[in-house]
Amino acid sequence: MPRAPIPTWCFALVVVRRGDHFLIVQESKYGQPWYVPAGRVEQGESFASAAVRETLEEAGIPVRVTGIIRVEHSPSPAGARMRVIFLAEPTDDTPPKTEPDDESLGATWVTLDELANYTLRGDEVTELFSFVANGGIIHPPDIIQAEGVPYCAAGRSS
């Protein structure tokens, strides 16, 4: 008997760092707390592309993904959730957006010490920023590959 597919929801979260500052966005839902740019991966979109898109939509900041902090998979009887938490850097000096829209109420750069002045969605924001600031292990972004991409030895291109 065939098995039913497992519903899986995929999300990209982005820790954007510029020197000793980190980017946070004020959400237009969940009681309007501050969080990292994040959102669901759309059909046909890669995790990395979703990270870049979500950061631009929510914060107005163009970014380049520089690494992966962690990949999370949370199965449950109802389905599964996957989250890829990226590290990124801005590609230029565009200031964070200040005009509210459907994506967010605005965005700003903060230091770790300044986070205490904001109502955060949870402890995860502080934990992530501290992890990065304290030299936590960051994996290369190309650790995630599409199926069928050739396997290559380190330092060699195909």
Side-chain angles (χ1 to χ4, degrees):
M1 176 181 342
R3 290 186 268 179
I6 301 168
T8 303
W9 293 268
C10 298
F11 297 90
L13 286 73
V14 192
V15 173
V16 183
R17 184 179 190 182
R18 185 184 70 187
D20 65 345
H21 286 79
F22 294 91
L23 186 66
I24 55 174
V25 295
Q26 187 173 21
E27 298 184 322
S28 57
K29 52 188 172 187
Y30 307 118
Q32 303 173 343
W34 293 82
Y35 196 56
V36 297
R40 190 175 296 183
V41 178
E42 295 179 356
Q43 187 172 358
E45 184 178 45
S46 72
F47 278 98
S49 294
V52 170
R53 176 184 52 76
E54 288 290 346
T55 305
L56 188 59
E57 287 176 354
E58 294 182 0
I61 303 288
V63 297
R64 178 177 75 86
V65 167
T66 59
I68 294 175
I69 296 169
R70 183 156 89 177
V71 177
E72 299 174 339
H73 179 248
S74 302
S76 75
R81 181 169 84 161
M82 284 192 67
R83 300 189 328 164
V84 177
I85 304 169
F86 290 93
L87 180 63
E89 63 187 13
T91 60
D92 62 26
D93 292 329
T94 301
K97 80 175 190 184
T98 56
E99 293 294 320
D101 61 21
D102 290 341
E103 298 295 334
S104 72
L105 300 178
T108 191
W109 291 104
V110 296
T111 63
L112 277 173
D113 292 338
E114 293 168 336
L115 273 180
N117 300 326
Y118 293 84
T119 302
L120 302 175
R121 185 166 161 185
D123 294 337
E124 181 178 39
V125 176
T126 304
E127 291 172 15
L128 282 168
F129 292 177
S130 295
F131 178 83
V132 170
N134 292 319
I137 295 172
I138 306 298
H139 306 280
D142 64 356
I143 197 167
I144 297 177
Q145 294 286 324
E147 288 182 42
V149 171
Y151 294 89
C152 299
R156 296 184 188 170
S157 59
S158 56

